[in-house]
Amino acid sequence: METTVYNPQKGRLETIDVQVTKENTTWFDNCAFAHDIHRITDIEGGLLISEYGYSYPCWIYDKSRADIDYSQQKALELRRLYE
């Protein structure tokens, strides 16, 4: 599915093809606020970090869910590095 994502490495929005499946995605159900991390998805060459609200997912190169131990907190910290 085509998805618009924020690419902080390039500093712009891009449209990429993303397949979100149970094999490549970890969902977090304990979201209460707009900037809570709702899901992390492994995509080719990186990690897609999606927040609970209506913001664009953030695509981080050269990272994976395993690199951050499938952690919601570590995903939030990584996302903040690229704000």
Side-chain angles (χ1 to χ4, degrees):
M1 171 172 77
E2 282 194 352
T3 303
T4 301
V5 300
Y6 175 64
N7 184 333
Q9 290 84 195
K10 294 182 180 178
R12 66 179 186 212
L13 295 175
E14 295 183 354
T15 301
I16 61 173
D17 187 44
V18 178
Q19 300 301 320
V20 177
T21 66
K22 64 181 179 180
E23 288 81 23
N24 71 348
T25 303
T26 302
W27 282 269
F28 303 104
D29 295 327
N30 59 340
C31 299
F33 302 101
H35 293 290
D36 288 346
I37 302 301
H38 177 61
R39 104 179 153 228
I40 53 177
T41 305
D42 289 324
I43 59 174
E44 288 186 33
L47 179 67
L48 194 61
I49 301 174
S50 302
E51 295 180 351
Y52 182 62
Y54 292 102
S55 63
Y56 293 105
C58 182
W59 180 18
I60 309 295
Y61 294 166
D62 300 324
K63 292 290 181 183
S64 70
R65 292 179 300 151
D67 291 338
I68 60 169
D69 300 322
Y70 302 87
S71 167
Q72 184 180 28
Q73 181 61 37
K74 289 181 181 179
L76 179 62
E77 292 168 7
L78 182 61
R79 170 68 181 97
R80 286 183 179 158
L81 286 175
Y82 288 93
E83 287 184 335

